[in-house]
Amino acid sequence: MSFRALLTDRDEAGKVTSSVQMLDDARLPEGNVTVDVDWAGLNYKDGLCLTGGGGLVRTYPHVAGIDFAGTVRESGDNRYKTGDKVVLTGWRVGETHWGGYAERARVNADWLVPLPQGLSTRDAMIVGTAGLTAMLAIDRLEKAGLTPEAGEVLVTGAAGGVGTIATSLLAKLGYQVAALSGRPQHAEALKALGAGSVVDREEFLAQPDKPLESARWAAVIDNVGGKILGKALKQVKYGGSVASIGNAGGIALETNVLPFILRGISLFGIDSVMQPYATRIAAWARIAGTFDLAAYAGLVREVGLEELPGAAREILAGEVKGRVLVKVG
């Protein structure tokens, strides 16, 4: 048996390239469940894996794709049987283990979750890692006391995958959302998702920098890191919280202790990669009952395996709006 895959390789000079090839089933990695992949997603990490960035891929040749949804072909685990619809996100699949940019994937059953009721495999990849991460962030902020009555929630990097879905989910849950973006051309799309206001990134950063600034936000979902996160921390209201998700703006954090000791704010790190099964199931169930797929449809773009290398360069350059779906099967 053979299948199509986007195979990423690195030559002796260190140059990383990807091409669609036919591979034999015997080349699949170890695992006790084989899945026929219907759809995969394109995420920032995928962009790094396809271009050799970030040192995420250690062994070549490689099949990237950190999330996918499809149908169980064979199972050696009694939790799944042939024909079951499943979703995979995280567990370093697509990084250290072959991922979803192939018609077939073989993985550990512990890494899968059943397709949430009410979602198709395509729907699940519109949500993907981005949506799961956004919901985990919202859940964490709410456990810290966030309610819609507390005030505006700032979402940074709002035009990207996590940002757009976080904006949509928050609005659907009754929150006032301020969407911060460096791409003003997407302002109307963000408002259509439910953002009450759109904050221009350059204007945000141009405001006078003080150890403690005017309290504006009940909470923040930050997808950027760097200077954006440092400044946002100084603007959180008393007792508020910040969920840190991404580092597209850098891994450095320039801050001081005043927001923490004078306003009692909290900073939470959100990791979707190693989340336990029960947490994933609960988050996916809440997404299935909350996310407005129809409202999000205009922010979805489909590509094939052949188009992925170009799309990877776009997402690393910050040129992708919303979610890019990969039609695999």
Side-chain angles (χ1 to χ4, degrees):
M1 296 291 291
S2 59
F3 58 96
R4 291 174 72 245
L6 183 70
L7 196 67
T8 300
D9 209 349
R10 182 175 62 189
D11 63 20
E12 293 181 357
K15 183 179 180 181
V16 174
T17 57
S18 301
S19 61
V20 177
Q21 300 184 26
M22 294 299 299
L23 303 180
D24 189 89
D25 274 16
R27 295 191 65 179
L28 287 169
E30 292 184 0
N32 55 3
V33 181
T34 302
V35 179
D36 287 329
V37 179
D38 297 334
W39 296 89
L42 175 67
N43 304 277
Y44 193 85
K45 271 188 179 180
D46 295 314
L48 293 173
C49 291
L50 289 174
T51 59
L56 298 179
V57 178
R58 304 294 176 86
T59 306
Y60 293 91
H62 180 69
V63 175
I66 69 168
D67 52 19
F68 64 81
T71 307
V72 172
R73 184 183 185 88
E74 297 176 348
S75 176
D77 187 284
N78 59 17
R79 287 171 288 181
Y80 299 101
K81 64 182 184 301
T82 300
D84 284 351
K85 302 293 184 181
V86 291
V87 180
L88 184 144
T89 63
W91 298 109
R92 301 209 67 193
V93 170
E95 301 175 51
T96 61
H97 190 95
W98 280 19
Y101 294 160
E103 292 176 330
R104 206 157 296 149
R106 185 175 291 148
V107 297
N108 189 320
D110 293 337
W111 303 340
L112 298 168
V113 297
L115 182 73
Q117 189 172 2
L119 297 182
S120 68
T121 52
R122 183 179 185 275
D123 296 338
M125 280 301 100
I126 292 175
V127 176
T129 296
L132 177 64
T133 307
M135 183 53 80
L136 290 171
I138 294 169
D139 285 344
R140 188 67 185 87
L141 292 173
E142 289 181 335
K143 286 178 182 176
L146 179 66
T147 64
E149 295 72 30
E152 278 189 296
V153 178
L154 179 69
V155 177
T156 72
V162 180
T164 49
I165 297 179
T167 297
S168 178
L169 288 171
L170 285 166
K172 196 74 174 176
L173 291 167
Y175 289 92
Q176 302 173 56
V177 184
L180 187 150
S181 175
R183 295 182 278 174
Q185 66 270 30
H186 301 319
E188 292 307 313
L190 289 168
K191 289 179 180 178
L193 289 177
S197 62
V198 176
V199 181
D200 181 80
R201 180 180 62 198
E202 298 309 315
E203 292 181 7
F204 178 79
L205 289 173
Q207 298 172 26
D209 197 18
K210 302 175 183 178
L212 203 60
E213 300 181 16
S214 297
R216 301 177 63 184
W217 320 114
V220 179
I221 294 179
D222 175 63
N223 300 289
V224 181
K227 292 181 179 179
I228 294 287
L229 175 56
K231 195 165 187 67
L233 286 167
K234 302 171 186 177
Q235 299 180 2
V236 177
K237 292 180 178 180
Y238 188 87
S241 303
V242 176
S244 174
I245 291 173
N247 63 343
I251 62 171
L253 177 57
E254 300 175 10
T255 188
N256 65 80
V257 300
L258 296 186
F260 302 97
I261 65 174
L262 296 184
R263 288 185 180 157
I265 74 164
S266 300
L267 174 62
F268 302 117
I270 306 298
D271 168 61
S272 66
V273 176
M274 307 301 289
Q275 285 290 329
Y277 181 81
T279 305
R280 291 171 185 268
I281 291 293
W284 273 108
R286 195 176 184 199
I287 289 166
T290 306
F291 187 48
D292 191 339
L293 285 158
Y296 198 82
L299 291 169
V300 177
R301 167 185 159 201
E302 293 183 13
V303 300
L305 292 175
E306 294 83 357
E307 300 166 89
L308 267 173
R313 291 189 290 271
E314 290 177 22
I315 200 167
L316 294 181
E319 296 171 356
V320 167
K321 175 181 71 171
R323 288 284 288 158
V324 175
L325 298 191
V326 186
K327 187 171 177 56
V328 181

